[in-house]
Amino acid sequence: MTRLHPEALTGDYGHRLGRLTGAQLQAAVDRFDLGRLVDAAPIPGGQFGQNVHVTTESGAWILRGCPHYDWQFPRERYFARQIATRSRIRAPWPYLIEPSREIFGWSYALMPCLPGLQLSDPTVRARLTPAEETTIARALGTGLTMLHELIWTHAGAYALITDDVLPYAVGHRERVLGEIDDLVSQCGRLDSLSDSDLHWLRRLLKHNQAALDVPFQPTFVHHDFTTSNVVVNRSSTPWSLGGVFDLMEAYVGDPEEDLVRAPFNYISRQPGLARDFLRAYVSRKPLREDATRRLRLYMLRDCLLIWEFGHRLGKEWVASAPDFRERAEPLVGQDFTAAG
C-alpha cells in the first residue's frame, strides 16, 4: 500500500471543513488507533460537505466533521447501531465519535466506508443502463422494507440526554400537522408562499388529515432515504441495497413517512423509477387503509421542507421556480396506492 507524505494530503476539503492538514488527519485517526494515514480526499456531492474519505493501514474510513448540532453524531451513532445489530442492512458501524475540538476546532466522527457503489457519484450513475436503474429502484424499495423491520413500542425522537428514543409528547396527527404548520410559518417569514398557495394548503389539510389517525407499528424512519444516502451491490444476484448512511434525520414513526423522499427525487428526472421503487416496497409491505390521503400530507411536508431550504439558502432552482403549488401539486397529487 503506497503511503503519501502527510504534506501531500494538506488542502481544501470543502466549504464546511475548510483547509485540513495531513498532520491533523493523522492525529484524528490516531485517536482510535487506526494506523498510518495512506490517503485522504473530500467526498463530492451532498448538501453540506461534511465528509472526507480516509484510507489508513487498517482500511477505508469516512471522517465526518463539523456537526450541525450537538446531537447529530450521537443520533447517527444510535441509529447506525440499531441498523447494524438489528436488521439485515449494513450501516456505518462502529461509529466512533471524538467530542474534543482540539484537532480541528470541531468534533468529528470516524466510521468504516461501506462497500458498494455510491449512487450519488456522477461517474457511477453515468455507467448505469436504464434497465439497471430500474432494477436498482426496485432494490431500494425492497431494502427499505427491511429497514422498516426495525420496530419500537412507541414513536419518538432521539434524545441526547438519554441516548435513546423518547416518545413524542403529542399524538401522530398533532405532530405531523404541527410540523407542517411550523414549515408554513418558516416559509411565510421568507415570503415564499402566496395567498393562493395557502388556500390550497388549507384545503389539503382539511380533506386529508383524518387519514393520520390510522394506527401503525412504529418503525425506524430514515426520512432522507434516497440514492444519495445508500450504496448498492451486485454479485451473482440482481442489484441489492448494500448499506445506508447519513442518519441525521432519522427517528421512529410511521414507516410510510419514508415513502416520499425517494419518489420526490425520482419524479424530477425519471417518473417511472418512482413507480418501480413504490411497487417493490408495496409488494413486500402493503400500505395501510387510506394511504393515499396520508401520503399526500407526508409529501406536502417534504415539499415545504425543501421549498423553505431552497429559499433560505438562495438556491438557483428556487429563483427560477414557479409558485409553490405549481411545484408541489404534481407530487402531492400522486395516487400512491396505484403502485401496488
Side-chain angles (χ1 to χ4, degrees):
M1 184 180 291
T2 303
R3 181 185 180 216
L4 296 177
H5 191 278
E7 288 184 4
L9 302 178
T10 296
D12 184 357
Y13 283 83
H15 67 278
R16 187 169 184 85
L17 302 186
R19 183 176 175 80
L20 306 180
T21 69
Q24 286 176 305
L25 294 170
Q26 182 64 68
V29 299
D30 283 346
R31 289 286 172 93
F32 298 102
D33 298 321
L34 301 181
R36 291 190 304 171
L37 193 64
V38 175
D39 198 3
I43 297 177
Q47 292 286 352
F48 303 110
Q50 286 187 280
N51 302 323
V52 178
H53 189 279
V54 175
T55 305
T56 74
E57 292 172 321
S58 64
W61 299 83
I62 302 297
L63 185 149
R64 189 158 169 82
C66 198
H68 297 280
Y69 311 99
D70 60 353
W71 49 258
Q72 180 187 352
F73 293 165
R75 176 190 279 190
E76 292 181 340
R77 178 177 61 186
Y78 173 85
F79 283 109
R81 180 173 63 244
Q82 300 301 316
I83 295 167
T85 60
R86 296 176 54 205
S87 84
R88 294 176 283 169
I89 302 298
R90 286 180 174 174
W93 188 256
Y95 190 109
L96 310 170
I97 299 176
E98 174 48 71
S100 169
R101 300 182 179 185
E102 177 185 350
I103 297 174
F104 298 111
W106 30 258
S107 60
Y108 66 93
L110 278 159
M111 63 205 82
C113 183
L114 294 174
L117 293 177
Q118 190 163 337
L119 297 175
S120 60
D121 186 336
T123 60
V124 170
R125 291 262 294 276
R127 294 196 300 266
L128 296 174
T129 67
E132 286 175 320
E133 291 227 63
T134 295
T135 305
I136 288 170
R138 292 170 180 164
L140 297 190
T142 299
L144 185 57
T145 66
M146 297 180 190
L147 284 173
H148 290 166
E149 292 171 1
L150 280 169
I151 64 172
W152 274 257
T153 57
H154 56 269
Y158 174 81
L160 180 60
I161 192 170
T162 60
D163 191 32
D164 204 351
V165 170
L166 295 184
Y168 288 117
V170 298
H172 185 64
R173 185 203 285 219
E174 187 176 351
R175 176 178 72 83
V176 173
L177 296 181
E179 290 172 356
I180 290 173
D181 188 56
D182 287 344
L183 287 166
V184 169
S185 296
Q186 292 169 37
C187 289
R189 288 193 288 272
L190 296 169
D191 198 26
S192 64
L193 295 175
S194 67
D195 289 343
S196 176
D197 291 332
L198 292 171
H199 179 70
W200 176 69
L201 277 162
R202 293 189 191 102
R203 283 194 293 110
L204 273 173
L205 294 172
K206 179 180 178 181
H207 292 304
N208 295 289
Q209 62 180 274
L212 296 171
D213 295 333
V214 177
F216 60 89
Q217 168 65 62
T219 74
F220 168 80
V221 176
H222 187 287
H223 201 237
D224 196 15
F225 187 82
T226 70
T227 54
S228 296
N229 296 324
V230 301
V231 292
V232 293
N233 294 320
R234 184 180 188 182
S235 56
S236 57
T237 58
W239 291 92
S240 63
L241 176 61
V244 63
F245 51 89
D246 199 349
L247 304 170
M248 187 178 85
E249 296 185 31
Y251 56 92
V252 176
D254 178 359
E256 292 173 4
E257 294 180 76
D258 254 345
L259 294 181
V260 296
R261 188 67 60 87
F264 183 103
N265 290 349
Y266 275 138
I267 286 168
S268 65
R269 58 187 184 89
Q270 286 179 275
L273 296 179
R275 291 190 294 272
D276 291 322
F277 168 83
L278 290 165
R279 283 171 181 155
Y281 182 93
V282 173
S283 70
R284 292 174 56 97
K285 189 175 177 64
L287 302 180
R288 307 190 321 280
E289 177 190 356
D290 224 358
T292 291
R293 291 204 299 158
R294 190 164 46 251
L295 285 160
R296 284 177 188 150
L297 297 186
Y298 295 158
M299 181 63 84
L300 174 66
R301 180 181 58 182
D302 229 38
C303 288
L304 284 165
L305 180 73
I306 294 166
W307 187 254
E308 188 278 336
F309 171 82
H311 276 273
R312 176 164 41 88
L313 297 187
K315 295 292 184 179
E316 285 185 20
W317 58 264
V318 168
S320 60
D323 62 26
F324 176 74
R325 177 178 178 177
E326 189 173 342
R327 180 176 178 84
E329 194 165 26
L331 296 159
V332 173
Q334 294 178 87
D335 181 1
F336 287 88
T337 58

